[in-house]
Amino acid sequence: MSIEAKEEFRPKIVAFCCNWCSYAGADLAGSSRLGYPADVKIIRVPCSCRVNPMFILRAFEKGADGVIMCGCHPGDCHYSTGNYYARRRMTLLFSMLDYIGVENGRTRVEWVSAAEGVKFSTTMNEFVEKIRSLGKNVRLEDLRCRK
Amino acid sequence: MQRIGVFVCHCGSNIAATVDVKKVAEMTLLEPGVVHAEDYQYMCSEAGQEKIIAAIKEKNLTGVVVCSCSPRMHETTFRKAAEKAGLNPYMVEIANIREHCSWIHKDMEEATEKAVILARAAIAKVNLNAPLKPGESRVTKRALIIGGGIAGIQTALDIADAGYEVDIVEKEPSIGGRMSQLDKTFPTLDCSACILTPKMVEASAHEKIHIHTYSEVEKVSGFVGDFTVDIRKKARYVDMDKCTGCGVCQEKCPSKKAASEFNRGLNTRSAIYTPFAQAIPNVPVIDTENCIKFKTGKCGVCSKVCQAGAIDYTQKDEIITEKYGAIVVATGFDTIKLDNYDEYAYNQSKDVITSLELERIMNAAGPTKGHLERLSDGKAPKEMVFVQCVGSRCSDDRGKPYCSKICCMYTAKHAMLIRDKYPDVNVTVFYIDVRTPGKNFDEFYRRAVEQYGVNYIKGQVGKVIPQPNGKLLVQGSDLLDNKQILKEADMVVLATAIEPNPGVRKIATMLTASIDTNNFLTEAHAKLRPVESPTAGIFLSGVCQGPKDIPETVAQAGAAAVKAIGLLAKDKLMTNPCTAQSDELLCNGCSTCANVCPYGAITYEERQVNDHGIRETRRLAVVNSALCQGCGACTVACPSGAMDLQGFSNRQILAEVDAICQ
Amino acid sequence: MSKEKKQAELIKEISGVNPLKCMKCGKCSATCPAYNEMDIKPHQFVSYVANEDIETLVQSKSLWKCLSCFACVERCPRDVKPGKLIDAARQIVVRQKGQNYLKADEIPELLDPELPQQLLVSAFRRYRR
Amino acid sequence: MMKYSYYPGCTLRTKAKDLDAYARASAKALGFELEEIENWQCCGGVYPLGSDEIATKLSSVRALNEAKEKHQDLVTLCSACHHVIKRVNDDMQNVEDIRTRANNYMKLEEPYAGETTVLHFLEVLRDRVGFDTLKEKVTNPLTGKKIGAYYGCLLLRPGKILQFDNPENPKILEDFIRAIGAEPVIYPYRNECCGGYISLKEKDMSKNMCNNIMESAEGFGAEMLITACPLCLYNLNNSVQNGLPVYYFTELLAEALGVKEEVAKA
């Protein structure tokens, strides 16, 4: 076994958060000092419905080990119906990913409101734990992208 | 290529204690496009902003990245600073290295590494930013208040006094809300009706205020400055214009067995009724579930006795549509149902009552005409026990996790009033903590103990045991004496937890205003924007935002009014420039985008295009940027990739993804 | 880790109770039908575990007075449930050799002809290893 | 005929034979059968609260698994057995650690994961037979009798797991009393503890508690008490002098259904 392999696996995780609920929930987790691993990096989007499945595929292609998308709770979307579109799109995308062999656990959709700092933190902790248990994502990575 | 400046904030030690800010600045200098990087203790301060302005001017910056707190906090501050320096404000991006980094990580190396990556993502985005210009939208100079309790009335009066039209929508037949049910108010013991009724009258007489009672909000569309609202005016079966409010119909109505909502079901009312004597408007409604005419077709007594001919059994619900610039939610609260707390025997004994029921019993217009008596046998009590925190501060799923805030004070009030009016009645209060922060509040509670001899026992009650002799045995603990107490009482009063009015969730959904797990509406910022919802144009007044007493409610109602006035006073609003745009060369006119747009902002036009030298007329999607709110649903739905969102374009987000996964 | 701390951790583990959730309302003690027989009261159980004073706790006669009637478990507003703590403390005692509260040779004189099996079985489970 | 797996428990084989015999006869009269599971072992009388207690939960798991293999619901009668088996079943459904370790011991072909529905005999009457149907089948209504229901602790608490009835204000036994034609007497001590196993060594404690129960029931006008628990019956009968008579609810059920005599003969 090589020395590198023994090194702790630090997954790359991209989190898409909608501006109104889940990004604010992440802020609340921060101001309440509810920690989660630094492996999670958040990208702010106006609404979960702005998340193009292409973004998620691109993340995997560039070497992400997990992608999580957070939005407002169903019925609470700032734009009324955005999260419903997002939910349907993600269901479709995830089943396709599953089909090509990217484990279901590498992607997740979670509804987090602006008041749910605790939920944001626990969700991220759980998700990182899950990705760590799944190990490195090798399925979609474009090796030409690896530095 | 952009010329980008990076500004790393220490935020005192908030960021600098966990993130090596100097290193972040250093590392970002290696990124493409970055020509300047510096760190400073407080970027949001005057001096910090000056640094940004100076750098923009000196180094001819075309883009700015500030690594600091959440953009929800200071994005506007830094954009304004950039604008001052002559840079388009939308060329500024924030890397959130406080809430999303320094505050949640402990290891300096790890946090610094993450901060660099977050900065890198922001830089990658700015590299693709383009200057944006906000549009303008008009403001309808009219406010809607949902809820006609003291919160709604106060907000309405304040907005109307500033000269704007106000509509109040109240679902009950009269305005007045919970406060109208109270007997006396703490900490000065003035009579609730005496201070509320004048405000109700003032609101109804105000030429700018229009009250819709027995009405509910049915549908809301639009956005800040320009909401369109459907209001259902439920059929009263009484003509508002003809009724003189004489009250004969209520007197003669033969159906008198309906539980009185106003008296919390402690007595009954007629089927045609006004909730209470000072009701505004003083026009009754017919409760069709209890009305004999509606149930059997026979009766019609009210119609016969009405000299004004105001009774109209054929009335139908009516929907009115109105436009508003601002909406204030003032939906208030109710007490929780006690079905989960049968150990207190509320369902088993008539002499176990809630505090709100006690208010009605103590009130001269209440079911016992103001005499303190047991509801089971009408006897005067000699021993009264109050139980605090019933359903409040419960982390199990039976009750509410929060403190209801008002119970400590109103219990001291009840205890005091009873001891004052009935000196031979002993009063015992079982409490967990006595919480009296507020002006003259603790003094008030101490008066109950010292002057009125109310017996306060630290400990909760475990069970209320009805006795065969009609008394109630209260089994509680005295934690200071380390004893279990068995106390015989004639009446037990439960300080029942309060919860937001059950209908509020539906209203929040219509308004797209966010709401927490306890059904309280969320404020835009817990400390700095306590009366605004995160949804622009929606304001919060009273208990719908969190437990409050009357002075706090009135203060907050005024604050919400000021915020609404601030909005209504504007003639035009700057709109968010981050709107969708369609590339006419890629659009094939399929209508997919229009189908997902929640605002109807996308229309189709036949237009001449020049596609690489080929001129032809095509059917193209056109976004109305005044209507577009920038959610981005259309951008993902578009099959040809023609639709994109300014400020959050596909290329920008992909650049962020790439930077993070690098 | 000190012995006391270890025992406190063990009690928390066996019972699944987090004593820090307690808000000291005293509803458990208000509810307990065996309150007057106890030297350490139900609400105090929680603070003894939180303060890791387990020695005093396991010496307490309250261990043998608790009826396991679950009234405190049912009514605790904070999900702390002192009854579970008491049971865990009792477990710690009876799992030690020779610490049975009920000795085999004292049983015959406690018996009467009506006594149901259920009683003996339960008492054995509660009082002995 | 509807068949249920049946777990009688040790006491119903010895001191509380009546409770069992009346239940079986009544079941027959109501059109269902209690099929005793084979080789059942004592449930232990008290639920082992410790999260690390596995061996003491196995007898319940065996009974539960046998019912599962027979595709039947498991019916209990004794309050203690019901309490223990229902809670162990809940553990097998929801506590992964206990489920795994119990299954490791059991070495079953198919692991048991709480598939069986556990029903108390009263729940069968309420939810399967229905009290309305029971009322129709009563041939000898106990009209005019004022009966206090004594629930005790084990059937009701913890309410979240037992899901038997509202633990602070139950009504299943009262509805049962109404169904057999008598009049229920509601008194506040009906869900207070009788002392349970404490009566072995601390007779006075149990005496006090039973006194409270009796006095409260008598005060509200009860002429007799009914219970489902042999230990409650023992404590109430033995620690109160000249108290109200206490019966198993199945005895009154058998009487109302007109099958009491045949049990007595047998």
Side-chain angles (χ1 to χ4, degrees):
Chain A
M1 205 188 258
S2 70
I3 293 170
E4 288 95 314
K6 272 188 185 164
E7 246 177 51
E8 196 197 348
F9 168 54
R10 299 295 309 269
K12 285 179 188 164
I13 294 169
V14 179
F16 290 99
C17 290
C18 78
N19 182 48
W20 303 97
C21 291
S22 45
Y23 194 89
D27 281 359
L28 183 61
S31 47
S32 318
R33 313 296 199 273
L34 300 162
Y36 51 88
D39 308 330
V40 179
K41 316 281 189 307
I42 296 170
I43 294 178
R44 180 164 73 132
V45 286
C47 175
S48 51
C49 71
R50 176 67 188 95
V51 179
N52 197 315
M54 176 174 81
F55 303 162
I56 292 168
L57 292 173
R58 172 76 152 246
F60 282 127
E61 181 187 329
K62 291 279 178 173
D65 301 299
V67 179
I68 180 165
M69 189 191 80
C70 301
C72 309
H73 283 271
D76 290 352
C77 174
H78 181 78
Y79 305 99
S80 307
T81 50
N83 49 4
Y84 293 129
Y85 293 127
R87 180 163 67 183
R88 274 187 244 165
R89 284 168 191 157
M90 291 308 133
T91 312
L92 212 60
L93 172 71
F94 294 172
S95 62
M96 188 274 280
L97 284 173
D98 191 38
Y99 178 70
I100 60 171
V102 176
E103 303 90 329
N104 256 331
R106 291 197 188 276
T107 46
R108 180 164 169 182
V109 173
E110 198 61 63
W111 313 122
V112 180
S113 81
E116 292 176 331
V118 177
K119 182 174 180 190
F120 188 87
S121 165
T122 23
T123 303
M124 290 306 151
N125 277 308
E126 278 171 24
F127 189 62
V128 172
E129 203 44 54
K130 177 78 193 170
I131 300 300
R132 284 188 182 157
S133 74
L134 287 172
K136 191 151 180 54
N137 176 39
V138 287
R139 268 291 167 170
L140 272 181
E141 189 178 4
D142 182 342
L143 294 176
R144 289 167 303 180
C145 295
R146 197 183 267 178
K147 273 195 176 170
Chain B
M1 194 60 157
Q2 306 274 18
R3 294 175 54 79
I4 299 169
V6 179
F7 301 86
V8 187
C9 180
H10 299 200
C11 195
S13 62
N14 281 311
I15 293 171
T18 2
V19 170
D20 182 345
V21 284
K22 297 247 183 279
K23 187 168 176 205
V24 174
E26 241 167 67
M27 294 292 285
T28 52
L29 269 176
L30 306 173
E31 293 300 310
V34 178
V35 295
H36 173 86
E38 65 176 304
D39 61 280
Y40 183 66
Q41 207 163 11
Y42 289 105
M43 272 302 163
C44 61
S45 69
E46 193 75 38
Q49 294 183 45
E50 282 305 323
K51 281 184 182 290
I52 298 176
I53 292 168
I56 293 173
K57 287 181 179 158
E58 280 163 28
K59 307 236 166 145
N60 279 323
L61 299 181
T62 60
V64 165
V65 168
V66 188
C67 303
S68 60
C69 53
S70 171
R72 294 165 44 84
M73 194 79 201
H74 274 308
E75 190 174 60
T76 326
T77 314
F78 296 124
R79 282 187 169 164
K80 277 189 183 148
E83 202 171 14
K84 264 193 206 164
L87 185 67
N88 182 287
Y90 293 91
M91 297 306 289
V92 177
E93 291 292 337
I94 310 287
N96 184 346
I97 63 166
R98 192 177 75 175
E99 282 85 347
H100 295 186
C101 187
S102 71
W103 273 352
I104 47 167
H105 305 314
K106 291 198 174 77
D107 182 73
M108 186 116 182
E109 199 181 323
E110 206 177 76
T112 307
E113 190 190 335
K114 178 168 172 181
V116 172
I117 294 173
L118 293 177
R120 208 180 268 155
I123 294 164
K125 189 178 180 194
V126 173
N127 261 313
L128 299 165
N129 274 21
L132 299 175
K133 201 172 172 295
E136 282 178 345
S137 71
R138 66 195 176 91
V139 177
T140 306
K141 309 258 174 193
R142 190 184 187 100
L144 169 68
I145 317 284
I146 307 173
I150 180 61
I153 292 171
Q154 186 62 47
T155 307
L157 285 171
D158 290 348
I159 296 176
D161 281 343
Y164 300 100
E165 300 286 332
V166 182
D167 289 0
I168 298 178
V169 171
E170 165 60 54
K171 70 176 186 321
E172 300 297 332
S174 168
I175 57 167
R178 289 284 160 255
M179 189 175 167
S180 64
Q181 293 177 297
L182 307 184
D183 182 41
K184 302 278 192 301
T185 53
F186 62 78
T188 47
L189 296 182
D190 29 15
C191 133
S192 186
C194 312
I195 55 178
L196 175 68
T197 322
K199 283 207 181 277
M200 290 165 59
V201 172
E202 195 188 338
S204 75
H206 204 297
E207 57 168 2
K208 298 265 181 200
I209 298 180
H210 317 276
I211 299 172
H212 304 288
T213 52
Y214 215 47
S215 302
E216 286 182 53
V217 171
E218 187 107 333
K219 191 173 150 222
V220 180
S221 59
F223 46 88
V224 53
D226 192 20
F227 294 104
T228 305
V229 180
D230 287 358
I231 298 163
R232 175 180 293 271
K233 300 191 71 157
K234 288 179 277 187
R236 290 181 103 93
Y237 306 105
V238 178
D239 189 321
M240 293 274 277
D241 297 325
K242 290 184 186 160
C243 176
T244 59
C246 68
V248 175
C249 54
Q250 302 183 49
E251 214 172 282
K252 302 285 182 200
C253 174
S255 167
K256 286 200 161 55
K257 295 230 171 94
S260 157
E261 294 85 356
F262 186 74
N263 283 327
R264 307 299 290 183
L266 299 182
N267 65 354
T268 56
R269 58 158 171 80
S270 44
I272 181 165
Y273 72 105
T274 47
F276 54 103
Q278 302 87 343
I280 285 180
N282 187 16
V283 176
V285 298
I286 294 178
D287 156 15
T288 53
E289 268 173 37
N290 286 290
C291 172
I292 299 168
K293 172 84 179 169
F294 277 91
K295 283 198 299 193
T296 67
K298 293 176 193 129
C299 186
V301 168
C302 50
S303 173
K304 279 170 215 145
V305 298
C306 180
Q307 299 210 327
I311 308 291
D312 175 6
Y313 300 119
T314 64
Q315 237 181 41
K316 293 268 177 305
D317 287 8
E318 186 192 346
I319 307 268
I320 56 171
T321 305
E322 197 68 64
K323 283 196 165 274
Y324 300 100
I327 298 177
V328 183
V329 188
T331 44
F333 71 97
D334 204 341
T335 52
I336 62 164
K337 292 232 168 6
L338 286 172
D339 295 347
N340 287 338
Y341 289 95
D342 275 336
E343 65 264 38
Y344 296 126
Y346 175 78
N347 286 320
Q348 296 95 306
S349 168
K350 277 186 148 184
D351 299 321
V352 180
I353 57 172
T354 67
S355 301
L356 196 50
E357 287 165 8
L358 181 65
E359 292 283 352
R360 295 316 304 146
I361 290 173
M362 303 281 284
N363 189 276
T368 61
K369 310 253 178 310
H371 298 294
L372 181 62
E373 60 189 50
R374 283 155 52 98
L375 294 172
S376 60
D377 54 14
K379 284 189 187 141
K382 289 277 169 266
E383 285 286 345
M384 301 231 0
V385 167
F386 287 78
V387 185
Q388 299 293 279
C389 299
V390 175
S392 299
R393 307 171 69 192
C394 290
S395 60
D396 60 359
D397 49 14
R398 295 204 294 167
K400 302 289 175 187
Y402 50 83
C403 166
S404 294
K405 199 172 184 180
I406 53 177
C407 326
C408 284
M409 284 301 288
Y410 70 57
T411 297
K413 172 190 77 178
H414 287 152
M416 210 184 268
L417 289 170
I418 290 169
R419 292 284 297 156
D420 188 52
K421 208 168 160 194
Y422 310 95
D424 57 333
V425 176
N426 291 320
V427 177
T428 305
V429 179
F430 282 91
Y431 71 95
I432 305 175
D433 299 291
V434 178
R435 294 175 166 177
T436 54
K439 190 173 162 186
N440 294 328
F441 280 16
D442 203 63
E443 295 91 321
F444 183 81
Y445 149 62
R446 289 311 306 168
R447 258 173 69 207
V449 176
E450 293 166 25
Q451 199 177 324
Y452 290 91
V454 179
N455 179 23
Y456 271 77
I457 297 177
K458 183 172 169 60
Q460 183 57 292
V461 168
K463 183 161 174 154
V464 175
I465 305 159
Q467 300 288 87
N469 64 4
K471 301 218 175 213
L472 299 158
L473 195 62
V474 179
Q475 188 184 353
S477 61
D478 182 337
L479 293 176
L480 297 179
D481 220 2
N482 218 9
K483 273 197 189 121
Q484 192 179 67
I485 293 178
L486 279 172
K487 191 164 188 63
E488 210 170 52
D490 299 301
M491 278 175 100
V492 171
V493 185
L494 307 176
T496 311
I498 59 172
E499 64 180 351
N501 227 312
V504 71
R505 191 156 267 280
K506 198 174 136 215
I507 289 171
T509 303
M510 282 193 266
L511 297 172
T512 69
S514 65
I515 194 164
D516 69 17
T517 44
N518 296 315
N519 281 358
F520 287 115
L521 286 162
T522 317
E523 55 279 13
H525 188 281
K527 290 130 205 168
L528 302 177
R529 295 174 68 193
V531 298
E532 295 158 82
S533 158
T535 303
I538 311 291
F539 305 96
L540 314 176
S541 176
V543 180
C544 69
Q545 179 263 342
K548 276 175 203 69
D549 58 23
I550 295 168
E552 279 179 316
T553 296
V554 171
Q556 203 214 17
V562 169
K563 290 289 172 188
I565 292 165
L567 167 61
L568 297 177
K570 293 188 176 118
D571 291 322
K572 296 241 161 48
L573 290 176
M574 301 284 244
T575 57
N576 171 18
C578 297
T579 52
Q581 248 189 358
S582 174
D583 182 333
E584 57 177 26
L585 292 185
L586 292 176
C587 177
N588 61 16
C590 70
S591 295
T592 311
C593 53
N595 289 336
V596 299
C597 178
Y599 304 100
I602 303 172
T603 49
Y604 289 88
E605 278 176 18
E606 298 286 334
R607 252 197 218 171
Q608 274 275 333
V609 291
N610 182 347
D611 190 349
H612 302 88
I614 304 163
R615 284 180 175 276
E616 58 183 0
T617 307
R618 288 186 193 164
R619 182 172 185 268
L620 297 173
V622 181
V623 178
N624 178 344
S625 59
L627 292 177
C628 175
Q629 296 297 299
C631 65
C634 56
T635 62
V636 184
C638 177
S640 60
M643 201 56 96
D644 209 349
L645 187 63
Q646 302 186 84
F648 291 95
S649 69
N650 288 333
R651 287 182 64 213
Q652 285 175 305
I653 296 174
L654 287 173
E656 287 180 87
V657 170
D658 291 357
I660 288 172
C661 296
Q662 202 176 80
Chain C
M1 209 192 278
S2 71
K3 187 190 163 206
E4 291 278 282
K5 193 172 174 65
K6 248 187 225 163
Q7 281 196 315
E9 290 304 318
L10 187 61
I11 287 185
K12 286 186 225 169
E13 198 194 313
I14 294 177
S15 62
V17 166
N18 174 8
L20 298 181
K21 291 189 75 182
C22 176
M23 66 166 166
K24 304 187 187 339
C25 68
K27 198 171 182 182
C28 46
S29 284
T31 283
C32 182
Y35 183 91
N36 289 328
E37 310 290 327
M38 292 189 170
D39 47 356
I40 294 181
K41 309 300 187 188
H43 70 277
Q44 293 174 293
F45 261 80
V46 184
S47 30
Y48 274 91
V49 176
N51 297 330
E52 296 170 2
D53 187 359
I54 308 302
E55 216 30 62
T56 321
L57 194 61
V58 296
Q59 307 270 322
S60 150
K61 68 173 182 181
S62 302
L63 295 193
W64 317 108
K65 306 290 176 185
C66 168
L67 305 154
S68 302
C69 74
F70 306 111
C72 57
V73 171
E74 191 66 47
R75 290 179 197 154
C76 174
R78 304 293 302 178
D79 247 350
V80 177
K81 308 177 184 218
K84 288 187 172 182
L85 285 178
I86 295 176
D87 197 69
R90 186 158 49 197
Q91 287 291 324
I92 284 197
V93 176
V94 298
R95 282 178 192 181
Q96 289 168 14
K97 207 175 169 212
Q99 292 296 313
N100 292 332
Y101 181 65
L102 182 65
K103 308 272 188 281
D105 48 8
E106 64 177 320
I107 291 173
E109 61 180 288
L110 294 170
L111 293 181
D112 72 60
E114 294 295 311
L115 189 126
Q117 261 63 20
Q118 181 194 351
L119 191 157
L120 265 184
V121 175
S122 310
F124 254 72
R125 267 283 164 84
R126 279 288 184 248
Y127 294 151
R128 296 172 52 97
R129 182 65 191 143
Chain D
M1 193 184 268
M2 183 72 190
K3 279 184 183 172
Y4 294 94
S5 281
Y6 172 53
Y7 179 98
C10 55
T11 316
L12 272 66
R13 275 286 158 275
T14 51
K15 300 287 186 229
K17 280 188 181 141
D18 294 359
L19 176 57
D20 172 76
Y22 289 129
R24 287 175 192 253
S26 305
K28 214 156 112 200
L30 289 168
F32 65 95
E33 192 180 329
L34 299 175
E35 213 172 72
E36 188 167 332
I37 53 174
E38 285 170 37
N39 302 323
W40 55 265
Q41 296 155 311
C42 172
C43 69
V46 292
Y47 169 74
L49 273 171
S51 53
D52 53 351
E53 292 273 341
I54 302 298
T56 42
K57 292 184 172 108
L58 292 180
S59 63
S60 301
V61 180
R62 284 194 190 98
L64 286 161
N65 188 58
E66 195 171 325
K68 173 189 163 188
E69 283 171 356
K70 288 164 78 178
H71 303 289
Q72 288 177 344
D73 296 337
L74 182 61
V75 173
T76 56
L77 199 45
C78 164
S79 299
C81 302
H82 182 71
H83 182 90
V84 173
I85 294 175
K86 182 104 187 183
R87 289 187 77 175
V88 170
N89 204 35
D90 181 75
D91 286 341
M92 295 301 283
Q93 280 166 13
N94 300 317
V95 186
E96 202 181 329
D97 181 53
I98 293 177
R99 179 171 56 235
T100 315
R101 289 165 64 188
N103 277 309
N104 287 348
Y105 272 107
M106 299 277 296
K107 298 202 170 70
L108 301 168
E109 271 173 33
E110 189 196 11
Y112 181 75
E115 291 89 345
T116 302
T117 304
V118 183
L119 291 173
H120 189 270
F121 192 85
L122 278 166
E123 290 176 307
V124 176
L125 295 183
R126 179 186 62 190
D127 305 333
R128 300 297 164 87
V129 177
F131 283 139
D132 287 339
T133 314
L134 170 59
K135 198 171 182 177
E136 284 164 21
K137 298 213 170 165
V138 165
T139 52
N140 177 27
L142 307 180
T143 317
K145 286 207 167 101
K146 291 183 170 178
I147 306 177
Y150 178 65
Y151 288 88
C153 330
L154 295 171
L155 281 181
L156 296 172
R157 296 188 287 261
K160 230 185 270 177
I161 296 170
L162 270 288
Q163 300 200 338
F164 183 76
D165 205 341
N166 176 348
E168 301 292 356
N169 192 13
K171 58 185 256 241
I172 183 169
L173 271 172
E174 280 77 5
D175 288 345
F176 166 76
I177 292 168
R178 275 184 209 105
I180 58 170
E183 185 189 329
V185 174
I186 293 172
Y187 61 104
Y189 278 91
R190 67 210 153 107
N191 63 341
E192 289 294 313
C193 183
C194 69
Y197 56 81
I198 210 91
S199 60
L200 185 66
K201 290 190 75 167
E202 332 270 345
K203 298 238 182 292
D204 283 350
M205 262 176 89
S206 169
K207 198 178 226 172
N208 274 339
M209 301 164 81
C210 290
N211 261 328
N212 282 341
I213 296 163
M214 280 285 181
E215 271 173 26
S216 174
E218 251 184 305
F220 279 93
E223 294 160 357
M224 63 177 81
L225 294 182
I226 56 167
T227 180
C229 178
L231 183 48
C232 297
L233 183 109
Y234 169 80
N235 281 341
L236 287 168
N237 272 337
N238 282 271
S239 37
V240 182
Q241 301 227 309
N242 305 322
L244 298 174
V246 189
Y247 301 100
Y248 289 124
F249 75 97
T250 52
E251 183 173 346
L252 299 200
L253 175 62
E255 192 179 334
L257 292 171
V259 294
K260 188 177 173 181
E261 297 302 312
E262 61 186 79
V263 174
K265 274 179 215 153

